[in-house]
């Protein structure tokens, strides 16, 4: 990636658990473009009065942003930015990361959909069974002909659509207003969520965390789903009413749930999800931000910032995403 030389380098502060790696990447790939003024994974190490440009993990940034009188721009290192979007201080530009999660999310979602449709767990159980019953051939299903419902028909979800279509699935989606999106047979608004649920063989939640999307997956939505449906949550933990989901699973109103994100992380050791036979827990690993990808986004935006051009992936404090 090449950049034009600025008149004077931009001073950036890095506050991240990957601060040292970000510092090395920016120093290597941005000669003359910027200098790293401060970098640490500890809020206490950073002087907020020196910050004008910040590259940061949102949860760490949320502790220091209210105390940054000169902050002009913060580049988040995460896709989820609820800690910053909820802050009263909003007199700066906040940019997120996009278009780096599609490949990982494709693999995560379809690995689990195939796990259920091809009955992987049942085959594993039969392999361990004694006697001739281990050769019993359980029925399997095909994803072809099934309907995949995606909650949050945005940029990450776009990576799922062509794979679903190639597998013969019908794709429907949900966004705030039911705005049509290319590749979806139909999109529904939040108010129409139960109409969408009634058609779904599988649901993937990728919605951002906003007041409107919290507990969007609650009792009425879960009751509208067919009992054979599978739920995958790789969006935000706050989207699910945990008690309602556990009740649906316990009463066999849902085949299973694959959960990657939770209201409290790490998921507490005593939480019933860990031991529930119809829940698969993954540790917020569906799509991970790699520092090299985030650094590329930041460097592109830094060049735009120098040239007074609009920045990429600006977040709207009012909308919450």
């Amino acid at each position: 990636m090449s950049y034009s030389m600025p008149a004077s380098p931009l001073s950036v502060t890095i506050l991240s658990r990957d601060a040292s790696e970000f510092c090395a990447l920016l120093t290597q790939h941005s000669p003359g473009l910027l200098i790293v003024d401060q970098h640490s994974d500890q809020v206490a190490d950073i002087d907020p009065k020196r910050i004008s440009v910040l590259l940061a993990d949102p949860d760490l940034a949320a502790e220091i942003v209210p105390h940054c009188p000169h902050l002009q721009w913060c580049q988040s290192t995460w896709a989820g930015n609820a800690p910053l979007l909820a802050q009263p201080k909003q007199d700066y530009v906040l940019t997120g990361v996009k278009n780096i999660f599609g490949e990982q999310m494709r693999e995560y979602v379809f690995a689990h959909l195939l796990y259920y449709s091809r009955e992987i767990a049942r085959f594993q159980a039969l392999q361990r069974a004694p006697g001739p019953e281990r050769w019993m051939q359980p029925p399997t299903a095909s994803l072809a002909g099934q309907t995949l419902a995606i909650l949050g028909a945005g940029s990450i979800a776009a990576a799922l659509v062509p794979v679903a279509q190639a597998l013969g699935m019908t794709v429907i989606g949900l966004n705030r207003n039911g705005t049509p999106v290319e590749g979806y047979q139909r999109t529904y608004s939040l108010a129409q969520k139960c109409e969408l649920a009634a058609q779904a063989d599988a649901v993937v939640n990728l919605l951002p965390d906003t007041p409107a999307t919290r507990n969007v997956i609650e009792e009425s939505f879960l009751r509208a789903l067919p009992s054979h449906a599978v739920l995958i949550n790789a969006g935000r933990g706050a989207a699910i009413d945990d008690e309602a989901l556990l009740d649906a699973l316990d009463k066999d109103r849902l085949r299973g749930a694959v959960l990657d994100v939770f209201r409290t992380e790490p998921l507490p050791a005593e939480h019933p999800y860990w031991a529930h036979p119809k829940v698969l827990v993954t540790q917020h690993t569906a799509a991970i931000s790699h520092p090299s990808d985030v650094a590329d986004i930041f460097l592109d935006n830094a060049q735009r910032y120098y040239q007074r051009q609009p920045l990429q992936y600006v977040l709207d404090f009012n909308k919450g995403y």
Side-chain angles (χ1 to χ4, degrees):
M1 194 174 288
S2 61
Y3 301 94
S4 60
M5 188 72 70
S8 59
L10 184 69
S11 176
V12 59
T13 294
I14 302 173
L15 179 58
S16 170
R17 295 165 183 81
D18 298 307
S20 295
E21 187 171 354
F22 277 124
C23 184
L25 286 164
L26 298 189
T27 302
Q28 177 184 358
H29 295 294
S30 62
L33 178 66
L34 54 82
I35 58 170
V36 176
D37 180 44
Q38 311 172 78
H39 80 278
S40 179
D41 59 358
Q42 300 295 321
V43 174
D45 295 340
I46 303 297
D47 180 1
K49 294 183 175 61
R50 288 166 53 186
I51 298 176
S52 59
V53 174
L54 179 63
L55 171 63
D57 298 349
D59 61 335
L60 300 180
E63 296 183 43
I64 203 170
V65 160
H67 312 293
C68 298
H70 308 299
L71 178 64
Q72 298 177 30
W73 164 39
C74 175
Q75 171 68 60
S76 166
T77 63
W78 295 357
N81 291 280
L84 286 170
L85 291 165
Q87 288 281 335
K89 181 177 174 65
Q90 300 179 357
D91 59 349
Y92 65 98
V93 177
L94 174 62
T95 54
V97 291
K98 288 187 178 182
N99 299 327
I100 63 174
F101 303 112
E103 180 179 300
Q104 296 179 71
M105 192 61 74
R106 271 198 306 265
E107 294 178 358
Y108 182 87
V109 167
F110 288 101
H112 287 98
L113 291 182
L114 288 166
Y115 170 88
Y116 282 101
S117 69
R118 300 301 297 181
E119 299 287 355
I120 303 301
R122 292 185 67 182
F123 280 104
Q124 287 182 313
L126 287 170
Q127 183 176 339
R128 295 188 293 269
E133 64 187 87
R134 69 178 58 177
W135 196 251
M136 184 182 74
Q137 298 175 349
T140 60
S142 173
L143 292 180
Q146 294 192 26
T147 296
L148 173 64
I150 302 176
L151 311 186
S155 60
I156 297 177
L160 306 181
V161 175
V163 180
Q165 292 174 335
L167 290 169
M169 302 185 80
T170 297
V171 184
I172 58 176
L174 181 144
N175 54 32
R176 188 170 58 168
N177 299 315
T179 306
V181 179
E182 184 178 357
Y184 292 76
Q185 184 182 72
R186 182 178 172 185
T187 49
Y188 297 79
S189 68
L190 282 167
Q192 298 171 305
K193 66 179 186 179
C194 291
E195 185 178 348
L196 168 142
Q199 304 173 58
D201 298 295
V203 176
V204 177
N205 176 54
L206 298 173
L207 287 166
D209 182 8
T210 71
T213 62
R214 287 168 198 155
N215 289 324
V216 67
I217 300 171
E218 40 66 70
E219 184 179 5
S220 67
F221 181 90
L222 292 165
R223 283 189 178 277
L225 287 170
S227 60
H228 66 266
V230 172
L231 170 67
I232 299 176
N233 187 19
R236 297 289 171 259
I240 291 181
D241 179 332
D242 293 325
E243 290 186 7
L245 176 57
L246 287 165
D247 185 63
L249 292 167
D250 289 342
K251 294 178 178 176
D252 294 326
R253 289 191 278 107
L254 189 66
R255 181 179 181 188
V258 181
L259 306 177
D260 187 57
V261 287
F262 308 91
R263 291 175 184 271
T264 301
E265 295 185 1
L267 183 65
E270 68 278 8
H271 200 288
Y273 283 151
W274 284 115
H276 201 288
K278 299 175 87 173
V279 173
L280 291 175
V281 171
T282 57
Q283 294 78 2
H284 205 145
T285 54
I288 299 171
S289 300
H290 296 296
S292 58
D293 294 327
V294 177
D296 284 344
I297 290 173
F298 175 73
L299 288 170
D300 178 68
N301 266 339
Q303 182 74 1
R304 292 168 178 270
Y305 187 85
Y306 269 122
Q307 297 175 348
R308 299 183 182 276
Q309 296 177 349
L311 301 186
Q312 293 268 57
Y313 315 135
V314 174
L315 299 171
D316 187 320
F317 286 101
N318 293 321
K319 292 181 178 179
Y321 56 90

